[in-house]
Amino acid sequence: MATATPYTHFVNPWIGTGGHGHVFLGANVPFGFVQLGPTEHTRGWDWCSGYHVSDSILVGFSHTHLSGTGIGELGDVTFLPVSHPGQREVEFSHDNETVRPGYYSIKLNQPNVFVELTATQRVGFHRYTFGADTAQGLLTVNLKQGIGWDSMTECHLTFENDTTVSGYRRSSGWAKDQWVFFVATFSQPMDEHWQHGDTLAILSFADLSQPLMVKCALSAVSVDNARENMRTELPGWVFRETVAAADAAWNEELSKIDAVEYDDDLNTIFYTALYHTMIAPSVFCDVNGDYRGADGKVHHGDFVNYTTFSLWDTYRAAHPLMTLIHPEKQADIAATLLHIFEQQGKLPVWHLMGNETDCMVGNPGVPVLADLVMKGFVKDREAAFQAMKTSAMLDERGMNLLKQYGFLPYDKDPDYETVSKGLEYALADGAIAAVAKMMGKKDDYLYFLERSKSYQKYFDPQTRFMRGRGSDGAFHEPFNPFGASHQHDDYTEGNAWQYTWLVPHDAHGLIRLFGGERLFVEKLDSLFFVSGDLGKDASPDISGLIGQYAHGNEPSHHVIYLYNYAGQPYKAAKLLRQTMSEMYFNDYDGLSGNEDVGQMSAWYVLSALGLYQVEPAGGKFVIGSPLFHHASIRLDNDKYFHIDVVNQGERTYEMVDGKFKLKDGMENIYVQRAWLNDKPLHRSYITYEEIMSGGTLKLEMGPTPSSWGTKPKYRP
């Protein structure tokens, strides 16, 4: 579908390349296997994506990267133009870089070459224009180079002829056994080449009167499949057409939400966030349907197989957002999850390049699959239910303790973090219970419903915090609700203040646990202004603080919306506006924490629209405080869901450096009244079905809190 609005013009891929954003910078297409971009030396945590804006030395242009993770990995098949055969790095200036969706370029001085990159789903396309003073065009192909934890364990490089190089790279790191096969073809023949074993080759090109172009196709299966990927996706050599096709692919996906305003920064922050949600999950199969499975074997599928599932992060907002704007992909996502289950015996926890990393805690694949079942994307619901149930009944990662004690005792689990694990298991069990109820499985429903209430075992009514408990039932002492010791206490990347609210599947049960709404809200209010010392061993992920609310890490992302459950949506409105304005910027350091494969941005996209799915499975979207006057979500079958905001408040703009800038902020942040398809809506939420049916949600805003959505029957 052609779109008239150039949505890609609003995207600033630099956002998140500074600070701790860890985002990918380079050329790719939505959900593509290839992320082709610059790679720097790994100099620490902030180089997890292979690039940080503070750096000025390149080691090459690699074909795979991660975006926003807390661990560095990938960086496969690296090319670098050099001045002499011994050169392995190049200094550069950010002033000479250009990047936009689907395109990256940089002007290097030593050697004097203009580098341009673009991509299809499985093929990276390079164009090197050498300066007139360059006597010899030299290009290295490096199979040893990786990012972060990645370490090459085996590789092979073959010169098939004077225009083709192929081979494979096997590595171990975060993904313990990763395979990447490649075929690279050149637009002109090499006049000579040198090879240092199988890890490095230096290629020489004599004809510099025209740009040297390189097409490099990847596959996780074989060189022949990589070759077929190239023949299918990029048979020609017209670079500008490939750039245009990449831009069109991004524009098509970004056009699924139309929310353009006369506010350049707002447009940029919003559409860059939307862009960041579509880097992963990444396609992980060849054009012929072959893919490398979680069992390490090659399989053939009649679906699109995906990888890079940062599920502990993305079950919260990124996947619910996908069900709204990418419904056509959800059956394939579900099929991928189920095939991973078949091949490794459990649903994915954090899946990367066909490998289970077991990173983070809980069973985060369960709520994602449960949500897809409940929203109608899974044909074989029985298979999905059995996958969820089996995954929840294993004896690994503390689940044996959960079955034995009804909670995870801190003195029985050598891996710590028992409160976080237990709360994550409880919400996953709540998702299974919801599916069991929908399918009429009474016994399973009652069993998992009971287990989903295990969060109550960690609640200390005296301190009103979730706390670690021993096998004797006693709470863990000494206790400091502010303190955090990374991977050596009862919480995962957080403290008691942040984890006390991690009951998104049963918010009303949590309110009752506090002793009622007054005590619950009193404590929730405190979260946003208390301060205390996290301690020297606290995780750097605990960032983006408002009081002890930590927006820079995912366990906090639903917390503001809990006010709607307690009948005080007006309190959520003020905090939502504060978070959106203080934690997201049009700048290098424009994110308050790791992007985490789209989750940080998905929170913003949904919240800016005025919606957020709190319950991991079920589809209720809580209404917050939208930023836009008007937004339209393009649904399946060319239906639309419109969000019209009346009395948003007058915005005053001024022209600064040729761009419109918002001069005065908006005061009307509180919903006064609402209508759904012209009928009064008293609820402070809408359902997934109501959104996907199309229509219009109309919100009237005002400068003071109202009684809208406050009565018990109107709460989510």
Side-chain angles (χ1 to χ4, degrees):
M1 175 181 175
T3 58
T5 304
Y7 297 93
T8 52
H9 291 190
F10 301 126
V11 176
N12 177 11
W14 293 107
I15 293 176
T17 59
H20 304 311
H22 299 185
V23 302
F24 161 68
L25 185 85
N28 64 331
V29 295
F31 308 104
F33 180 39
V34 167
Q35 293 100 27
L36 175 58
T39 299
E40 302 164 341
H41 289 290
T42 298
R43 303 185 190 277
W45 189 54
D46 283 328
W47 278 258
C48 287
S49 73
Y51 183 96
H52 194 267
V53 75
S54 64
D55 208 341
S56 59
I57 296 177
L58 293 179
V59 295
F61 303 100
S62 306
H63 287 77
T64 60
H65 293 80
L66 294 175
S67 187
T69 58
I71 297 174
E73 175 62 288
L74 304 184
D76 298 284
V77 192
T78 300
F79 287 57
L80 181 68
V82 293
S83 300
H84 56 84
Q87 187 177 2
R88 299 293 177 266
E89 61 183 38
V90 176
E91 292 187 7
F92 74 102
S93 169
H94 297 296
D95 292 338
N96 295 328
E97 287 180 290
T98 298
V99 62
R100 59 182 185 267
Y103 176 82
Y104 171 89
S105 70
I106 184 169
K107 175 64 172 66
L108 301 175
N109 293 323
Q110 294 294 330
N112 180 9
V113 59
F114 182 52
V115 180
E116 296 174 278
L117 309 175
T118 189
T120 66
Q121 282 196 333
R122 301 168 179 88
V123 187
F125 199 1
H126 311 230
R127 182 162 68 176
Y128 300 98
T129 304
F130 291 90
D133 60 341
T134 306
Q136 184 183 33
L138 296 176
L139 190 66
T140 64
V141 181
N142 191 330
L143 299 186
K144 185 177 182 180
Q145 178 66 48
I147 296 171
W149 290 10
D150 178 272
S151 178
M152 187 273 294
T153 58
E154 178 185 347
C155 66
H156 183 68
L157 194 152
T158 299
F159 286 84
E160 296 187 1
N161 52 52
D162 61 1
T163 60
T164 306
V165 177
S166 64
Y168 67 86
R169 182 177 189 270
R170 190 178 186 184
S171 62
S172 182
W174 197 5
K176 296 302 181 185
D177 188 18
Q178 173 195 327
W179 291 83
V180 173
F181 296 84
F182 74 96
V183 171
T185 62
F186 305 90
S187 60
Q188 60 177 275
M190 297 168 259
D191 61 323
E192 55 182 329
H193 67 266
W194 304 269
Q195 192 168 346
H196 296 268
D198 279 316
T199 62
L200 180 73
I202 300 103
L203 319 180
S204 173
F205 300 88
D207 182 7
L208 305 184
S209 63
Q210 55 187 342
L212 169 67
M213 292 186 285
V214 185
K215 297 186 296 185
C216 183
L218 303 187
S219 166
V221 173
S222 68
V223 168
D224 286 341
N225 276 21
R227 202 183 319 275
E228 185 177 357
N229 290 341
M230 185 187 297
R231 282 197 300 262
T232 303
E233 290 188 359
L234 194 58
W237 288 95
V238 184
F239 188 84
R240 66 178 181 276
E241 288 184 359
T242 308
V243 173
D247 180 82
W250 278 112
N251 210 50
E252 169 64 15
E253 296 297 338
L254 294 170
S255 72
K256 290 182 176 180
I257 302 179
D258 178 60
V260 177
E261 296 264 355
Y262 285 106
D263 183 338
D264 292 319
D265 274 350
L266 178 57
N267 291 335
T268 296
I269 295 168
F270 181 82
Y271 281 100
T272 304
L274 190 57
Y275 164 80
H276 279 146
T277 68
M278 294 187 274
I279 293 175
S282 304
V283 168
F284 192 58
C285 60
D286 297 321
V287 293
N288 64 2
D290 291 348
Y291 68 95
R292 187 171 296 274
D295 54 4
K297 300 176 181 178
V298 174
H299 299 264
H300 182 80
D302 58 357
F303 64 101
V304 178
N305 189 61
Y306 287 92
T307 190
T308 316
F309 286 104
S310 183
L311 296 166
W312 183 83
D313 305 292
T314 56
Y315 80 75
R316 305 168 201 267
H319 280 281
L321 175 63
M322 286 187 74
T323 65
L324 294 177
I325 63 174
H326 306 297
E328 75 284 353
K329 292 178 170 57
Q330 299 316 297
D332 289 333
I333 295 288
T336 299
L337 300 180
L338 289 173
H339 281 86
I340 290 173
F341 168 76
E342 293 170 3
Q343 292 155 12
Q344 70 178 25
K346 67 180 181 183
L347 287 171
V349 179
W350 210 122
H351 230 257
L352 177 61
M353 299 292 284
N355 288 252
E356 180 56 73
T357 71
D358 275 327
C359 190
M360 307 313 292
V361 298
N363 269 325
V366 167
V368 172
L369 184 57
D371 197 42
L372 294 178
V373 171
M374 298 187 74
K375 290 175 179 176
F377 291 110
V378 181
K379 290 183 179 180
D380 193 342
R381 297 191 307 180
E382 183 60 35
F385 180 80
Q386 293 305 321
M388 291 185 285
K389 180 178 179 179
T390 299
S391 300
M393 295 302 292
L394 299 173
D395 287 330
E396 62 172 35
R397 298 181 298 122
M399 282 185 282
N400 58 318
L401 299 174
L402 176 61
K403 289 185 285 187
Q404 181 179 352
Y405 291 93
F407 66 99
L408 276 67
Y410 72 85
D411 57 336
K412 296 294 184 180
D413 191 335
D415 295 324
Y416 300 97
E417 303 181 350
T418 52
V419 174
S420 299
K421 289 179 189 175
L423 296 175
E424 292 283 358
Y425 285 141
L427 68 86
D429 289 339
I432 300 174
V435 174
K437 183 179 181 180
M438 183 183 72
M439 296 177 63
K441 295 178 176 290
K442 184 177 180 180
D443 291 343
D444 288 318
Y445 166 67
L446 293 174
Y447 174 78
F448 284 104
L449 178 65
E450 182 63 26
R451 269 191 23 174
S452 76
K453 296 178 181 178
S454 62
Y455 71 86
Q456 299 171 359
K457 304 287 182 64
Y458 307 98
F459 187 77
D460 175 10
Q462 298 300 315
T463 63
R464 290 185 288 160
F465 284 108
M466 296 289 182
R467 297 180 55 184
R469 300 188 81 158
S471 54
D472 61 357
F475 287 108
H476 200 174
E477 297 288 353
F479 174 63
N480 174 7
F482 295 98
S485 181
H486 187 50
Q487 297 183 336
H488 283 85
D489 64 13
D490 297 327
Y491 308 95
T492 301
E493 299 177 359
N495 62 20
W497 270 108
Q498 288 134 27
Y499 269 96
T500 292
W501 318 99
L502 190 58
V503 190
H505 63 294
D506 189 17
H508 292 295
L510 180 62
I511 292 170
R512 290 191 295 271
L513 202 58
F514 268 88
E517 291 171 10
R518 183 183 65 81
L519 293 174
F520 175 82
V521 170
E522 179 184 276
K523 189 79 165 188
L524 187 56
D525 288 344
S526 300
L527 173 69
F528 297 96
F529 65 79
V530 294
S531 62
D533 186 5
L534 295 170
K536 62 182 179 63
D537 297 321
S539 167
D541 295 280
I542 308 174
S543 59
L545 292 173
I546 301 175
Q548 285 296 293
Y549 171 79
H551 191 74
N553 211 21
E554 281 64 29
S556 291
H557 277 190
H558 70 291
V559 172
I560 295 175
Y561 289 96
L562 292 177
Y563 278 112
N564 287 55
Y565 290 79
Q568 298 187 14
Y570 49 88
K571 287 187 176 179
K574 186 175 182 179
L575 288 163
L576 288 169
R577 290 296 183 100
Q578 180 182 355
T579 303
M580 285 186 275
S581 65
E582 293 183 1
M583 301 298 170
Y584 296 86
F585 296 97
N586 181 14
D587 202 349
Y588 301 113
D589 188 8
L591 296 171
S592 61
N594 298 168
E595 169 58 27
D596 282 314
V597 195
Q599 170 60 27
M600 195 67 63
S601 289
W603 185 95
Y604 182 86
V605 170
L606 285 169
S607 295
L609 294 174
L611 303 171
Y612 195 83
Q613 181 177 313
V614 172
E615 298 162 71
K620 288 180 183 175
F621 283 80
V622 178
I623 298 173
S625 183
L627 294 183
F628 298 98
H629 286 92
H630 173 82
S632 293
I633 303 172
R634 177 156 50 90
L635 309 170
D636 253 352
N637 303 318
D638 284 332
K639 290 186 294 185
Y640 288 85
F641 184 76
H642 304 285
I643 301 169
D644 287 334
V645 183
V646 179
N647 198 31
Q648 176 73 283
E650 290 300 320
R651 300 188 189 193
T652 304
Y653 296 91
E654 57 184 344
M655 188 71 75
V656 179
D657 297 330
K659 294 183 177 181
F660 284 109
K661 297 289 184 180
L662 183 63
K663 186 175 181 180
D664 298 318
M666 292 173 292
E667 299 296 331
N668 295 354
I669 65 174
Y670 304 102
V671 177
Q672 307 293 305
R673 293 186 295 171
W675 297 263
L676 182 61
N677 298 328
D678 296 324
K679 295 181 180 179
L681 179 71
H682 303 293
R683 292 180 272 121
S684 67
Y685 69 93
I686 56 176
T687 67
Y688 177 76
E689 291 74 20
E690 286 171 332
I691 295 173
M692 299 306 285
S693 295
T696 301
L697 172 65
K698 183 178 178 181
L699 302 174
E700 180 185 319
M701 311 300 287
T704 58
S706 73
S707 61
W708 173 82
T710 59
K711 293 182 179 180
K713 63 181 178 179
Y714 299 141
R715 303 172 190 176

